[in-house]
mmCIF file of all heavy atoms in Angstrom:
data_model
loop_
_atom_site.group_PDB
_atom_site.id
_atom_site.type_symbol
_atom_site.label_atom_id
_atom_site.label_comp_id
_atom_site.label_asym_id
_atom_site.label_seq_id
_atom_site.Cartn_x
_atom_site.Cartn_y
_atom_site.Cartn_z
ATOM 1 N N ARG A 157 228.595 31.219 33.291
ATOM 2 C CA ARG A 157 227.593 32.282 33.168
ATOM 3 C C ARG A 157 228.253 33.650 33.009
ATOM 4 O O ARG A 157 227.774 34.505 32.273
ATOM 5 C CB ARG A 157 226.694 32.291 34.405
ATOM 6 C CG ARG A 157 225.728 31.119 34.490
ATOM 7 C CD ARG A 157 224.617 31.376 35.478
ATOM 8 N NE ARG A 157 223.622 30.314 35.447
ATOM 9 C CZ ARG A 157 223.508 29.370 36.359
ATOM 10 N NH1 ARG A 157 224.341 29.347 37.385
ATOM 11 N NH2 ARG A 157 222.588 28.448 36.255
ATOM 12 N N ILE A 158 229.369 33.850 33.688
ATOM 13 C CA ILE A 158 230.030 35.152 33.669
ATOM 14 C C ILE A 158 230.951 35.312 32.463
ATOM 15 O O ILE A 158 230.959 36.356 31.803
ATOM 16 C CB ILE A 158 230.844 35.352 34.969
ATOM 17 C CG1 ILE A 158 229.909 35.398 36.173
ATOM 18 C CG2 ILE A 158 231.684 36.629 34.886
ATOM 19 C CD1 ILE A 158 230.630 35.374 37.504
ATOM 20 N N GLY A 159 231.722 34.279 32.149
ATOM 21 C CA GLY A 159 232.778 34.433 31.156
ATOM 22 C C GLY A 159 232.465 33.963 29.757
ATOM 23 O O GLY A 159 233.153 34.330 28.811
ATOM 24 N N TRP A 160 231.403 33.146 29.592
ATOM 25 C CA TRP A 160 231.101 32.564 28.286
ATOM 26 C C TRP A 160 230.773 33.653 27.262
ATOM 27 O O TRP A 160 229.993 34.551 27.524
ATOM 28 C CB TRP A 160 229.918 31.616 28.414
ATOM 29 C CG TRP A 160 229.793 30.620 27.305
ATOM 30 C CD1 TRP A 160 229.048 30.751 26.181
ATOM 31 C CD2 TRP A 160 230.395 29.332 27.245
ATOM 32 N NE1 TRP A 160 229.155 29.619 25.411
ATOM 33 C CE2 TRP A 160 229.976 28.728 26.041
ATOM 34 C CE3 TRP A 160 231.245 28.626 28.091
ATOM 35 C CZ2 TRP A 160 230.382 27.457 25.662
ATOM 36 C CZ3 TRP A 160 231.645 27.361 27.710
ATOM 37 C CH2 TRP A 160 231.221 26.785 26.519
ATOM 38 N N GLY A 161 231.371 33.559 26.094
ATOM 39 C CA GLY A 161 231.082 34.505 25.034
ATOM 40 C C GLY A 161 231.935 35.749 25.049
ATOM 41 O O GLY A 161 231.904 36.548 24.106
ATOM 42 N N ARG A 162 232.692 35.953 26.120
ATOM 43 C CA ARG A 162 233.565 37.122 26.170
ATOM 44 C C ARG A 162 234.898 36.818 25.484
ATOM 45 O O ARG A 162 235.359 35.678 25.479
ATOM 46 C CB ARG A 162 233.833 37.534 27.622
ATOM 47 C CG ARG A 162 232.597 38.029 28.371
ATOM 48 C CD ARG A 162 232.975 38.528 29.747
ATOM 49 N NE ARG A 162 231.804 39.006 30.485
ATOM 50 C CZ ARG A 162 231.856 39.506 31.715
ATOM 51 N NH1 ARG A 162 233.003 39.608 32.345
ATOM 52 N NH2 ARG A 162 230.748 39.918 32.305
ATOM 53 N N ASP A 163 235.480 37.830 24.932
ATOM 54 C CA ASP A 163 236.772 37.665 24.268
ATOM 55 C C ASP A 163 237.869 37.734 25.324
ATOM 56 O O ASP A 163 238.626 38.699 25.405
ATOM 57 C CB ASP A 163 236.958 38.746 23.208
ATOM 58 C CG ASP A 163 238.177 38.478 22.337
ATOM 59 O OD1 ASP A 163 238.690 37.341 22.383
ATOM 60 O OD2 ASP A 163 238.606 39.401 21.626
ATOM 61 N N ASN A 164 237.926 36.684 26.135
ATOM 62 C CA ASN A 164 238.860 36.635 27.260
ATOM 63 C C ASN A 164 239.735 35.392 27.117
ATOM 64 O O ASN A 164 239.281 34.276 27.381
ATOM 65 C CB ASN A 164 238.098 36.598 28.588
ATOM 66 C CG ASN A 164 239.019 36.653 29.797
ATOM 67 O OD1 ASN A 164 240.173 36.251 29.736
ATOM 68 N ND2 ASN A 164 238.493 37.156 30.915
ATOM 69 N N PRO A 165 240.979 35.541 26.679
ATOM 70 C CA PRO A 165 241.852 34.371 26.465
ATOM 71 C C PRO A 165 242.013 33.509 27.714
ATOM 72 O O PRO A 165 242.121 32.279 27.612
ATOM 73 C CB PRO A 165 243.190 35.002 26.051
ATOM 74 C CG PRO A 165 242.825 36.344 25.517
ATOM 75 C CD PRO A 165 241.652 36.804 26.331
ATOM 76 N N GLY A 166 242.017 34.136 28.892
ATOM 77 C CA GLY A 166 242.172 33.363 30.118
ATOM 78 C C GLY A 166 241.029 32.396 30.334
ATOM 79 O O GLY A 166 241.237 31.254 30.755
ATOM 80 N N PHE A 167 239.810 32.840 30.034
ATOM 81 C CA PHE A 167 238.646 31.968 30.190
ATOM 82 C C PHE A 167 238.725 30.781 29.247
ATOM 83 O O PHE A 167 238.560 29.630 29.651
ATOM 84 C CB PHE A 167 237.371 32.768 29.923
ATOM 85 C CG PHE A 167 236.116 31.925 29.968
ATOM 86 C CD1 PHE A 167 235.468 31.696 31.169
ATOM 87 C CD2 PHE A 167 235.602 31.338 28.816
ATOM 88 C CE1 PHE A 167 234.327 30.913 31.221
ATOM 89 C CE2 PHE A 167 234.466 30.558 28.857
ATOM 90 C CZ PHE A 167 233.820 30.345 30.068
ATOM 91 N N TRP A 168 238.974 31.051 27.969
ATOM 92 C CA TRP A 168 239.008 29.968 26.983
ATOM 93 C C TRP A 168 240.159 29.014 27.262
ATOM 94 O O TRP A 168 240.019 27.795 27.094
ATOM 95 C CB TRP A 168 239.117 30.547 25.579
ATOM 96 C CG TRP A 168 237.969 31.444 25.248
ATOM 97 C CD1 TRP A 168 237.997 32.787 25.021
ATOM 98 C CD2 TRP A 168 236.591 31.062 25.168
ATOM 99 N NE1 TRP A 168 236.729 33.256 24.799
ATOM 100 C CE2 TRP A 168 235.845 32.217 24.872
ATOM 101 C CE3 TRP A 168 235.918 29.850 25.302
ATOM 102 C CZ2 TRP A 168 234.464 32.212 24.723
ATOM 103 C CZ3 TRP A 168 234.539 29.830 25.146
ATOM 104 C CH2 TRP A 168 233.831 30.998 24.864
ATOM 105 N N GLN A 169 241.283 29.553 27.705
ATOM 106 C CA GLN A 169 242.420 28.689 27.996
ATOM 107 C C GLN A 169 242.110 27.751 29.151
ATOM 108 O O GLN A 169 242.488 26.575 29.130
ATOM 109 C CB GLN A 169 243.646 29.539 28.323
ATOM 110 C CG GLN A 169 244.917 28.721 28.540
ATOM 111 C CD GLN A 169 246.130 29.600 28.778
ATOM 112 O OE1 GLN A 169 246.024 30.813 28.868
ATOM 113 N NE2 GLN A 169 247.284 28.982 28.874
ATOM 114 N N PHE A 170 241.388 28.256 30.151
ATOM 115 C CA PHE A 170 241.028 27.416 31.298
ATOM 116 C C PHE A 170 240.185 26.225 30.859
ATOM 117 O O PHE A 170 240.479 25.074 31.205
ATOM 118 C CB PHE A 170 240.263 28.249 32.332
ATOM 119 C CG PHE A 170 239.642 27.426 33.432
ATOM 120 C CD1 PHE A 170 240.428 26.918 34.458
ATOM 121 C CD2 PHE A 170 238.286 27.144 33.421
ATOM 122 C CE1 PHE A 170 239.865 26.146 35.465
ATOM 123 C CE2 PHE A 170 237.712 26.374 34.424
ATOM 124 C CZ PHE A 170 238.502 25.879 35.456
ATOM 125 N N PHE A 171 239.131 26.480 30.085
ATOM 126 C CA PHE A 171 238.257 25.388 29.687
ATOM 127 C C PHE A 171 238.916 24.448 28.688
ATOM 128 O O PHE A 171 238.800 23.228 28.789
ATOM 129 C CB PHE A 171 236.949 25.944 29.114
ATOM 130 C CG PHE A 171 235.872 26.046 30.152
ATOM 131 C CD1 PHE A 171 235.668 27.226 30.825
ATOM 132 C CD2 PHE A 171 235.108 24.943 30.487
ATOM 133 C CE1 PHE A 171 234.695 27.327 31.808
ATOM 134 C CE2 PHE A 171 234.140 25.027 31.468
ATOM 135 C CZ PHE A 171 233.929 26.224 32.132
ATOM 136 N N THR A 172 239.614 25.018 27.727
ATOM 137 C CA THR A 172 240.268 24.184 26.722
ATOM 138 C C THR A 172 241.302 23.269 27.354
ATOM 139 O O THR A 172 241.432 22.098 26.983
ATOM 140 C CB THR A 172 240.929 25.067 25.649
ATOM 141 O OG1 THR A 172 239.936 25.896 25.053
ATOM 142 C CG2 THR A 172 241.581 24.221 24.567
ATOM 143 N N SER A 173 242.029 23.775 28.327
ATOM 144 C CA SER A 173 243.073 22.974 28.964
ATOM 145 C C SER A 173 242.497 21.843 29.796
ATOM 146 O O SER A 173 243.194 20.887 30.114
ATOM 147 C CB SER A 173 243.963 23.860 29.841
ATOM 148 O OG SER A 173 243.220 24.415 30.916
#
Side-chain angles (χ1 to χ4, degrees):
R157 288 197 174 104
I158 295 171
W160 200 266
R162 294 185 180 180
D163 190 14
N164 184 334
F167 176 87
W168 301 114
Q169 184 176 5
F170 170 76
F171 266 95
T172 302
S173 64

